[in-house]
Amino acid sequence: MSSTEWFSKARFGMMLHWGLYSLLAGEYRGEQMGGADNGSGELGEWAQTYFRIPCREYEKLAEAFNPVGFDAEEYARLAKEAGMNYIVLTSKHHEGFAMFKSAADRYNVVDATPYGRDIVGQFAAACKKYGLKFGLYYSQEVDWHDPDGGAYDCGYKNVRSSWTNNWDFPDNANKDYSRCLERKIKPQVKEILTQYGEIALIWFDTPHVISKAQSDELYALVKHYQPNCLVNSRIGNGVGDYTSLGDNQVPGDKKEKSMLYETAATLNDTWGYKSYDQHWKSAEEVISLLTRLASRNVNYLLNIGPDHIGRIPAAAQNVLKEVGAWIKVNGEAVYGTSPSPYNVELSSGPVTEKDGSLYFVLNKPGNEIKIPGVLTRIAKVELLGTGELKFIQNEDVVSIPLPNLTGKIYPVLKLSADTPIEVDEGIIEMPERKLQPATAQIEGNIKIGRACDIENWRDQGSLTWTFIVKEKGNYVCELAVNGLHGMEPLETEIVLTVNGYTRSLCTKHDKDIDSLISRHHKGLISEAGVIELVEGVNTVSIRLAAPVDRDMFRFAYLTLRRKQA
């Protein structure tokens, strides 16, 4: 199986952020880092820069790092039980400390700690034993332990956390990332590629000052030693084999079928361990995100932060075991699937396709479901884990009476036919439809960003959708927008035109855009009032009321929902 093929089939992986920061656990000298509950969202692995801890003092953590509770096979077994197919471990994060034996820098787990054993090597062996692909995260630019660590042109991540170490090494003007690259980064990347057998992927991160030539050189280095090793897009400058979307992001629309995508996401609100962050996602939330991402052709790389003695938090274990139980029944709707053939997400839930069959993940199943736009004659309908169900197909609508599914988390229907199932990609499903950037005609100097929302919208460019509605009526219209850099969207006047009739509205916070990801990405939904759609062809467009001089928001989608009588 090729490197791209295994990745596209895997769909679900485990990420592990583990380093010296696990000893601090989000606290230092009587002060805690912030968390989601108070809105500051500080990350445990950023403790050194948040507290501005001098390297000489931070190095003392290595003298105390002795994870006597660590067992790599325990992680591998949990990943398998959860239905995950690969593991990505932080070999070196921004703190500059290596979790492997390194001749390039003695600041590593073998030479600088009482533990004295190679963490990466143990994970490599465990993954091989349990049939998991093994990948390594490596921070190729940000390195707070090196005087020439990059990102020195970026200022602060927030009011407290500098991207570069400007407390030990304050002279940013004379820093030169190329020196760090030559003396540490390239030698260590070579080490992780040559010391542990097959590496399935290298997960680089946070490119800032790295040049195109340097990204190319690093990419070539990986391919020289491991030709089949995938490299993610955060190596920088448009280089890489697959796209890493934003942290915790669910794109607004499905991604290109022939390309590779992945979203890395947290199980609570931090990547590195924080003892007091108990804001865990439920198994139901994880399954929802997994299936929504699969329906968009995106892998889900879910992170756990081990504690300082190497333990997996019990709450995380419980969630992953529940997810694994669901996958044992419904995994065929996730693994090796293609994205939904529909251009919109159906109100019933995510849709995936495999081997000519369609899988429908049911968000809130009732007594019956009506699946629209099915152009192929269906031969069989199954409820995974239960068996065949009766159905009626009337033209392009498949009606399926459902058994009592009370207490079932996201049951899955499988529709099969004698030939690959075709659907009306542009179906206007009522009573609800999302109008998303990917299906719009775009005019002006605006573009679709990597999360499939509209970014850099400053002029009076427009988005226009033309579609067919089978039944006229009144529909409630809502505008969904995301904020920038974790901030709420700024209030902006928008012009909405429906079949030639125009009205103005403002981006105001009527409700959250998405309860599952609003913890990480601030978004809001504005009520735009009631509009009338006619039977047949309809045209809806939006534009800014006036040009603006900065980014105010990222447009996500319009929702049209039939007004109840």
Side-chain angles (χ1 to χ4, degrees):
M1 187 181 299
S2 69
S3 56
T4 56
E5 188 178 2
W6 83 256
F7 188 86
S8 65
K9 290 180 179 295
R11 284 290 175 244
F12 195 25
M14 174 185 286
M15 193 175 213
L16 296 163
H17 273 67
W18 195 23
L20 299 182
Y21 41 82
S22 63
L23 283 153
L24 295 177
E27 299 185 34
Y28 179 70
R29 293 187 174 178
E31 183 183 0
Q32 287 187 342
M33 303 177 76
D37 291 342
N38 63 21
S40 56
E42 295 296 341
L43 305 172
E45 71 279 9
W46 280 70
Q48 184 179 7
T49 182
Y50 181 85
F51 294 116
R52 300 178 69 80
I53 305 172
C55 282
R56 187 157 298 199
E57 183 174 342
Y58 196 83
E59 289 168 358
K60 295 177 182 177
L61 295 174
E63 299 173 12
F65 189 71
N66 191 21
V68 294
F70 169 63
D71 178 1
E73 292 194 11
E74 181 184 2
Y75 287 80
R77 287 192 296 268
L78 178 62
K80 290 291 286 187
E81 186 175 356
M84 294 163 159
N85 290 307
Y86 61 111
I87 288 178
V88 178
L89 169 71
T90 50
S91 61
K92 178 184 79 74
H93 205 269
H94 304 334
E95 66 183 359
F97 180 78
M99 298 291 278
F100 58 95
K101 169 69 173 175
S102 174
D105 187 351
R106 290 185 58 80
Y107 192 47
N108 66 75
V109 69
V110 176
D111 294 322
T113 77
Y115 183 66
R117 298 176 61 196
D118 191 316
I119 297 291
V120 170
Q122 293 176 69
F123 267 109
C127 287
K128 184 176 182 179
K129 179 176 178 178
Y130 287 90
L132 295 161
K133 292 290 186 180
F134 182 49
L136 290 171
Y137 172 109
Y138 185 88
S139 179
Q140 83 280 16
E141 179 168 328
V142 179
D143 191 314
W144 300 320
H145 196 254
D146 192 287
D148 290 301
Y152 39 78
D153 66 343
C154 300
Y156 283 72
K157 178 174 177 284
N158 51 41
V159 294
R160 288 190 58 158
S161 301
S162 169
W163 276 99
T164 191
N165 183 340
N166 60 6
W167 56 97
D168 286 311
F169 317 116
D171 189 4
N172 286 352
N174 287 313
K175 291 180 180 178
D176 184 350
Y177 169 69
S178 64
R179 293 193 292 253
C180 177
L181 179 68
E182 293 299 323
R183 69 172 165 251
K184 183 174 184 179
I185 305 305
K186 286 165 57 178
Q188 285 196 335
V189 170
K190 177 182 176 181
E191 288 172 341
I192 60 177
L193 291 167
T194 57
Q195 296 179 167
Y196 305 106
E198 179 186 356
I199 302 298
L201 64 87
I202 297 291
W203 217 97
F204 292 114
D205 201 9
T206 57
H208 291 287
V209 302
I210 188 171
S211 68
K212 175 64 163 62
Q214 290 168 333
S215 293
D216 286 337
E217 184 180 10
L218 208 52
Y219 180 84
L221 180 68
V222 174
K223 296 300 181 177
H224 175 75
Y225 290 105
Q226 299 242 13
N228 295 321
C229 180
L230 295 174
V231 177
N232 72 330
S233 57
R234 295 193 193 184
I235 193 173
N237 299 295
V239 181
D241 300 309
Y242 72 93
T243 299
S244 291
L245 300 177
D247 295 349
N248 290 291
Q249 284 194 335
V250 177
D253 202 0
K254 64 182 179 181
K255 309 297 284 182
E256 180 63 37
K257 186 176 181 179
S258 62
M259 305 292 284
L260 303 177
Y261 303 90
E262 179 186 67
T263 286
T266 54
L267 187 54
N268 50 357
D269 292 320
T270 182
W271 302 88
Y273 179 71
K274 285 166 66 177
S275 60
Y276 49 92
D277 183 350
Q278 300 298 319
H279 194 196
W280 302 98
K281 293 181 178 70
S282 67
E284 186 173 356
E285 289 173 318
V286 170
I287 294 165
S288 175
L289 290 168
L290 173 64
T291 54
R292 287 168 62 190
L293 287 167
S295 74
R296 290 157 167 80
N297 193 35
V298 180
N299 283 11
Y300 186 23
L301 185 61
L302 184 59
N303 181 79
I304 299 173
D307 71 8
H308 68 287
I309 62 172
R311 295 175 301 185
I312 308 167
Q317 294 189 51
N318 293 336
V319 170
L320 292 184
K321 289 174 181 178
E322 288 185 54
V323 172
W326 182 90
I327 286 181
K328 283 182 180 179
V329 175
N330 302 291
E332 66 175 279
V334 176
Y335 301 137
T337 56
S338 297
S340 170
Y342 293 95
N343 281 335
V344 296
E345 184 167 310
L346 302 184
S347 59
S348 57
V351 182
T352 58
E353 184 274 332
K354 182 167 63 178
D355 299 332
S357 296
L358 296 182
Y359 297 87
F360 294 81
V361 181
L362 306 183
N363 287 339
K364 296 179 180 179
N367 297 324
E368 182 185 50
I369 181 174
K370 294 182 181 293
I371 298 175
V374 181
L375 304 179
T376 304
R377 181 56 53 184
I378 298 302
K380 183 168 66 173
V381 174
E382 301 171 72
L383 179 65
L384 296 187
T386 299
E388 288 192 38
L389 299 179
K390 295 179 179 180
F391 67 94
I392 298 173
Q393 186 167 3
N394 185 10
E395 296 183 347
D396 65 346
V397 177
V398 179
S399 300
I400 308 167
L402 297 174
N404 184 357
L405 297 174
T406 302
K408 296 283 188 180
I409 297 178
Y410 297 117
V412 178
L413 291 175
K414 178 182 180 181
L415 272 62
S416 303
D418 296 331
T419 59
I421 298 175
E422 297 183 8
V423 304
D424 182 352
E425 297 180 3
I427 187 72
I428 304 305
E429 186 201 19
M430 294 304 172
E432 185 170 319
R433 163 77 191 266
K434 284 183 180 178
L435 303 180
Q436 297 169 317
T439 57
Q441 178 183 344
I442 298 175
E443 296 184 0
N445 188 30
I446 54 179
K447 66 176 183 177
I448 298 178
R450 64 182 182 181
C452 289
D453 51 12
I454 293 295
E455 59 184 28
N456 300 320
W457 196 356
R458 302 184 185 189
D459 63 14
Q460 290 184 276
S462 64
L463 289 87
T464 301
W465 296 268
T466 302
F467 52 88
I468 296 173
V469 170
K470 294 182 178 179
E471 184 178 348
K472 70 175 183 179
N474 293 324
Y475 294 84
V476 176
C477 181
E478 294 178 332
L479 173 77
V481 297
N482 291 313
L484 284 77
H485 312 301
M487 306 297 289
E488 283 215 353
L490 300 176
E491 187 170 303
T492 311
E493 185 178 0
I494 303 290
V495 176
L496 170 70
T497 303
V498 180
N499 296 327
Y501 294 95
T502 297
R503 68 177 67 182
S504 294
L505 61 132
C506 281
T507 55
K508 60 184 187 301
H509 196 159
D510 291 319
K511 56 185 176 181
D512 286 338
I513 191 172
D514 189 327
S515 60
L516 273 184
I517 62 174
S518 62
R519 297 158 55 164
H520 313 289
H521 299 278
K522 299 300 182 184
L524 57 84
I525 290 178
S526 304
E527 296 174 355
V530 177
I531 63 174
E532 182 178 357
L533 298 180
V534 300
E535 181 179 355
V537 178
N538 290 260
T539 301
V540 174
S541 67
I542 59 171
R543 60 176 173 84
L544 297 184
V548 294
D549 60 2
R550 58 175 173 156
D551 295 343
M552 308 291 282
F553 61 86
R554 295 176 185 266
F555 168 73
Y557 55 83
L558 280 175
T559 298
L560 306 179
R561 186 175 65 254
R562 188 188 297 277
K563 184 179 180 182
Q564 299 299 317

